[in-house]
Amino acid sequence: MANPPIFLFLTIFIATLLCCCSSFEEEKRTTFIVQVNHNLKPSLFPTHTHWYQSTLSSLLSTKTTNGTTSKHALNNNNPILHTYDTVFHGFSTRLSPSEAKKLQTLPHVTALIPEQVRHVHTTRSPHFLGLQTAAKTGLLRDTDFGSDLVIGVIDTGIWPERQSFNDRDLGPVPAKWKGRCVAGKDFPATSCNRKLIGARFFSAGYEATNGKMNETSEYRSPRDSDGHGTHTASIAAGRYVSPASTLGYAAGVAAGMAPKARLAVYKVCWTGGCYDSDILAAFDAAVSDGVDVASLSVGGVVVPYHLDVIAIGAYGAASAGVFVSASAGNGGPGGLTVTNVAPWVTTVGAGTIDRDFPAHVKLGNGRVIAGASLYGGPGLVAGRMYPVVYAGSEGYSASLCLEGSLDPKLVKGKIVVCDRGISSRAAKGDVVKKSGGIGMILANGIFDGEGLVADCHVLPATAVGAIGGDEIRRYIATAAKSNHTSPPTATIMFKGTRLGVRPAPVVASFSARGPNPVSTEILKPDVIAPGLNILAAWPDRVGPSGVPSDKRKTEFNILSGTSMACPHVSGLAALLKAVHPDWSPAAIRSALMTTAYVVDNRGHAMLDESTGNVSSVFDYGAGHVHPEKAIDPGLVYDISDSDYVNFLCNSNYTTDTIQVITRKKADCSGAKKAGHAGNLNYPSMSAVFQQYGKKKMSTHFIRSVTNVGEANSVYKVTIKPPVGMKVTVEPQTLSFRRVGQKLNFLVRVQARAVKLSPGGSSIKSGSIVWSDGKHTVTSPLVVTMQQPLDY
């Protein structure tokens, strides 16, 4: 069921925007995305754009409460920011509350959606995933490395000169392609080639809110001034480049998941963020251009689907056959942090690979604390110990090493311990350096846990976990009390690149976790993929630390985030689409989910980096992607547009709010046949029981699987029930006569109440596994028992 508090909050929020008008309307304009019933266009208008402009002209020429004529803040002659005609019908514009209220009364206007500001979620991985270039068969060879598939990357743009985007030995641009290479500042149309076949930028929404962009620091073109988009694009589809490294770390061959796939970039993220009106315009263009996969490493606040522009744009894309993958977010390790949770989006969390970059702290008392770093400049003198100080005694800002917070007299010539939080990790090192410090130890807080992210610091520095940080601070405090007879000292020992790390994969500490805050019946994230310390292409004019003072140049950089995990899945989806061109986006997601694994390279249950304990389905979803198995999953759980409509009906969305998402009038009269929202034909199953004093509770799931393996195959079920629960499946055998045949099965779950305090919960997981002896098709099953606060 959709989350009532979210609906209530948004209802109040919109009502406030629409009703609170005053004589200061000019200062109160905000951006709205306006959905229009495009079929109602009067014939006297040659295009929908003319109709929209006429509507706004009449609206915006009215008198304001102070008697002056209302003028649009952006452009009085053309107040429209973007028009949409593929994944959405309508336009975006800036409106005051009273103008929004008037516009909403027009018969052809079906919805006004307040704009959100989103933010990016910031190469050994092909080898770790089992994609071997030397193999004569397998996913890479069988797909010609993804040639002729088009991946659309919605991000910060691209640095086209990088060798990762060369077009050597590629065939002509696919005949289906209808996109463009839009020229702009420092980006001539010749920047595109047979690899980078399309490039656009969308800034109207960003500039409507922030004013004209500063073109001395940003490019009014698809060129990347941040680095994030270049990095994600090369993870998805970068060519083979050797030698590749970052400041000497991770030396080897760099390659994306689908090295011959074509790229189209849609720049929507700027210094001030990524604005919904621009993101929707990018989705609209990408689908119209003919992309096969849309990759989006961007996220924001979770809201109901009809108010979530990413969910709306992704639905239109999926309905057109485009696979959409999105990053889960970097809000982990806390629960309920996952974003981009719509069931038609493949939501990707992050895991580690079997490579790290150790840089340990040695204290004056001989203790060694494990750390990680990518510092590549002059190091500390080997064997020498340096004074170490924790600036927390100078106040909260100093403990975080914020700009201007450090006293040079206190830190000069010393290694400074800084707490994580508020400013970026690398920016703290820059503050220490400018204050005269010679090194930095970056300590995780309790919430960050033990997860370590390596950074290209501007001075000798390393990151340590929360436990290690506490030990270092205790050592400093104890040594400081010794009346300077034994002052605290430390050094940092950089160990370079380490391969063959065990255990791996591990769920990255920062990776956002479930449960799904909008639809508890849909398990999110769907899968995890490599997202910690990933090597990929990088622009010339951005230092590897991302700090403005960093003037170093590198062709590749190592970054971490679900932003890096998402394009791994985007590239894999392109490879699967190349092998199975008739598969729907839901079928591709199913193949990735049902073949995923949940054990590490030791054969043990996958761990959670933040705690070192065993991870759960809310951490990794179905598990870590396994590309070579996904190519031949045996069975898939497919989903149609009508299935999604039934899901929305059973989630208590109204016919009007469903139309905002699907662009069609919904009929919910038959949806109740599906029973409940959990009966969406998803590859995972999630149930929530509200106890309310009940002793026994039960639910069921109806599923349909399509045979994509072999004719005359027989699958038998293995049930691994959640602890303390009874699970049955009917029938227990599925006999397929032909490829493409669909068969249904029913899962019943029975649970007994458990002792919980008010507001408490208990989570148990299991699985439903179908096998014909060759294929193993695994669906996670998670059951949450909740004790309501009011009981």
Side-chain angles (χ1 to χ4, degrees):
M1 172 177 281
N3 195 326
I6 293 178
F7 277 111
L8 179 61
F9 170 76
L10 265 302
T11 300
I12 295 171
F13 173 63
I14 294 171
T16 302
L17 284 176
L18 297 182
C19 297
C20 297
C21 37
S22 71
S23 60
F24 300 100
E25 287 179 336
E26 290 298 315
E27 286 74 35
K28 287 195 171 185
R29 277 201 171 87
T30 55
T31 300
F32 287 86
I33 295 156
V34 183
Q35 187 178 58
V36 175
N37 186 338
H38 70 299
N39 294 320
L40 297 181
K41 180 182 75 68
S43 59
L44 63 93
F45 295 105
T47 68
H48 283 84
T49 300
H50 287 91
W51 181 32
Y52 303 154
Q53 289 174 332
S54 176
T55 298
L56 285 178
S57 294
S58 61
L59 179 75
L60 301 181
S61 64
T62 58
K63 299 290 183 180
T64 65
T65 55
N66 63 5
T68 61
T69 301
S70 172
K71 295 182 180 179
H72 196 278
L74 177 67
N75 185 330
N76 202 28
N77 298 318
N78 182 21
I80 291 176
L81 304 179
H82 297 289
T83 59
Y84 313 103
D85 58 15
T86 302
V87 300
F88 187 84
H89 295 137
F91 60 93
S92 52
T93 188
R94 302 273 290 177
L95 299 169
S96 69
S98 63
E99 291 164 346
K101 190 174 181 179
K102 290 176 184 177
L103 188 63
Q104 201 165 33
T105 65
L106 299 180
H108 56 281
V109 173
T110 58
L112 265 68
I113 305 171
E115 180 171 64
Q116 269 198 66
V117 184
R118 319 276 180 150
H119 298 279
V120 295
H121 288 147
T122 190
T123 47
R124 185 171 163 79
S125 47
H127 179 274
F128 183 70
L129 289 169
L131 296 174
Q132 304 290 346
T133 60
K136 294 182 179 179
T137 61
L139 190 52
L140 284 174
R141 292 289 180 181
D142 292 352
T143 63
D144 189 24
F145 300 85
S147 182
D148 292 347
L149 272 292
V150 183
I151 301 173
V153 180
I154 301 173
D155 211 298
T156 67
I158 195 166
W159 197 266
E161 292 81 10
R162 283 292 170 248
Q163 283 303 302
S164 296
F165 310 124
N166 77 72
D167 64 355
R168 286 191 300 271
D169 303 321
L170 287 180
V173 172
K176 67 175 184 178
W177 181 246
K178 296 179 288 186
R180 297 169 51 206
C181 192
V182 177
K185 182 184 178 183
D186 292 339
F187 197 96
T190 53
S191 299
C192 292
N193 55 22
R194 296 190 308 277
K195 175 66 175 180
L196 177 62
I197 63 174
R200 299 177 184 260
F201 65 98
F202 303 89
S203 61
Y206 165 59
E207 293 186 282
T209 298
N210 296 279
K212 189 175 180 181
M213 75 174 66
N214 180 358
E215 295 192 43
T216 63
S217 59
E218 296 192 90
Y219 298 99
R220 188 182 293 279
S221 75
R223 185 171 289 280
D224 186 4
S225 60
D226 177 89
H228 190 272
T230 300
H231 201 268
T232 57
S234 66
I235 291 171
R239 304 299 302 275
Y240 289 99
V241 180
S242 179
S245 70
T246 298
L247 307 179
Y249 290 93
V253 178
M257 295 296 97
K260 284 190 178 181
R262 314 308 171 103
L263 279 168
V265 299
Y266 301 86
K267 181 178 177 180
V268 300
C269 295
W270 308 84
T271 299
C274 323
Y275 285 73
D276 272 357
S277 54
D278 297 332
I279 292 172
L280 189 58
F283 266 116
D284 213 56
V287 175
S288 178
D289 289 347
V291 303
D292 299 287
V293 173
S295 185
L296 185 72
S297 292
V298 170
V301 177
V302 175
V303 296
Y305 303 132
H306 69 288
L307 295 171
D308 184 345
V309 161
I310 290 178
I312 293 167
Y315 183 92
S319 184
V322 176
F323 178 93
V324 181
S325 56
S327 50
N330 295 341
L336 285 168
T337 52
V338 64
T339 66
N340 296 322
V341 295
W344 44 87
V345 173
T346 299
T347 310
V348 188
T352 67
I353 61 175
D354 60 345
R355 177 185 67 197
D356 66 9
F357 308 101
H360 304 323
V361 176
K362 184 177 181 180
L363 301 177
N365 61 7
R367 288 281 296 159
V368 175
I369 310 296
S373 178
L374 293 166
Y375 175 68
L380 302 175
V381 177
R384 179 178 170 183
M385 303 299 288
Y386 296 83
V388 61
V389 62
Y390 174 54
S393 59
E394 300 295 305
Y396 178 67
S397 294
S399 71
L400 296 166
C401 298
L402 301 182
E403 190 70 42
S405 68
L406 296 181
D407 181 356
K409 295 178 182 178
L410 176 68
V411 305
K412 185 175 182 181
K414 299 175 183 177
I415 296 174
V416 181
V417 178
C418 301
D419 295 337
R420 279 183 63 176
I422 300 183
S423 61
S424 75
R425 298 181 301 271
K428 295 176 188 296
D430 191 46
V431 171
V432 171
K433 183 178 181 181
K434 289 188 293 187
S435 300
I438 60 167
M440 178 182 70
I441 299 169
L442 184 63
N444 284 356
I446 294 174
F447 185 78
D448 302 307
E450 300 308 304
L452 300 181
V453 178
D455 292 298
C456 296
H457 294 286
V458 296
L459 83 172
T462 189
V464 299
I467 295 173
D470 287 343
E471 181 174 346
I472 293 169
R473 283 186 288 263
R474 283 195 303 269
Y475 162 71
I476 293 172
T478 301
K481 294 178 182 178
S482 65
N483 296 320
H484 303 288
T485 58
S486 181
T489 60
T491 191
I492 302 171
M493 303 178 293
F494 298 94
K495 302 293 186 178
T497 303
R498 183 173 63 164
L499 302 178
V501 172
R502 297 161 70 91
V506 170
V507 179
S509 179
F510 56 77
S511 187
R513 317 298 168 97
N516 187 327
V518 178
S519 303
T520 55
E521 304 86 353
I522 304 299
L523 179 62
K524 291 286 182 173
D526 292 307
V527 291
I528 64 168
L532 184 72
N533 299 330
I534 303 301
L535 179 76
W538 194 249
D540 264 344
R541 298 182 188 176
V542 184
S545 69
V547 174
S549 64
D550 186 1
K551 303 304 180 184
R552 295 172 295 179
K553 290 186 178 183
T554 179
E555 186 171 350
F556 295 90
N557 201 3
I558 294 172
L559 299 183
S560 298
T562 56
S563 279
M564 287 63 251
C566 169
H568 278 90
V569 170
S570 305
L572 296 178
L575 296 177
L576 293 175
K577 184 75 173 176
V579 177
H580 304 286
D582 57 331
W583 278 11
S584 69
I588 294 172
R589 177 176 59 242
S590 175
L592 289 167
M593 290 178 67
T594 62
T595 59
Y597 60 91
V598 296
V599 297
D600 58 33
N601 53 7
R602 305 170 305 168
H604 299 165
M606 196 155 49
L607 301 181
D608 179 347
E609 185 189 32
S610 68
T611 63
N613 298 328
V614 173
S615 54
S616 77
V617 290
F618 286 146
D619 302 330
Y620 54 67
H624 194 286
V625 291
H626 194 313
E628 292 295 346
K629 284 191 175 180
I631 195 173
D632 182 21
L635 305 175
V636 295
Y637 294 81
D638 211 350
I639 304 176
S640 66
D641 284 356
S642 61
D643 293 330
Y644 287 127
V645 170
N646 286 341
F647 162 78
L648 292 168
C649 290
N650 283 306
S651 298
N652 290 343
Y653 286 79
T654 66
T655 55
D656 288 339
T657 55
I658 293 172
Q659 185 177 357
V660 175
I661 301 165
T662 66
R663 294 161 292 142
K664 299 174 184 176
K665 204 70 177 176
D667 178 8
C668 287
S669 60
K672 298 306 177 183
K673 295 178 181 178
H676 58 88
N679 279 337
L680 179 67
N681 198 41
Y682 217 70
S684 57
M685 303 170 205
S686 176
V688 178
F689 291 127
Q690 301 286 348
Q691 296 195 153
Y692 280 115
K694 303 171 187 173
K695 292 185 177 181
K696 294 182 180 180
M697 292 145 286
S698 65
T699 191
H700 69 276
F701 300 96
I702 300 170
R703 291 293 187 266
S704 173
V705 285
T706 305
N707 181 23
V708 294
E710 299 167 355
N712 299 314
S713 55
V714 178
Y715 285 80
K716 295 183 178 180
V717 71
T718 299
I719 303 168
K720 299 177 182 178
V723 174
M725 300 179 193
K726 181 180 180 181
V727 179
T728 60
V729 176
E730 299 176 11
Q732 295 188 348
T733 300
L734 297 175
S735 299
F736 294 92
R737 298 187 305 276
R738 65 183 186 279
V739 175
Q741 183 181 358
K742 297 177 182 289
L743 291 176
N744 300 335
F745 64 92
L746 174 70
V747 179
R748 294 188 186 277
V749 180
Q750 296 174 288
R752 288 183 173 274
V754 296
K755 188 174 181 179
L756 295 170
S757 58
S761 64
S762 172
I763 300 165
K764 304 293 182 183
S765 63
S767 62
I768 306 296
V769 183
W770 292 98
S771 179
D772 65 348
K774 177 182 178 181
H775 307 94
T776 300
V777 186
T778 303
S779 291
L781 170 62
V782 59
V783 179
T784 303
M785 311 290 289
Q786 292 183 343
Q787 187 70 25
L789 280 168
D790 57 354
Y791 188 83

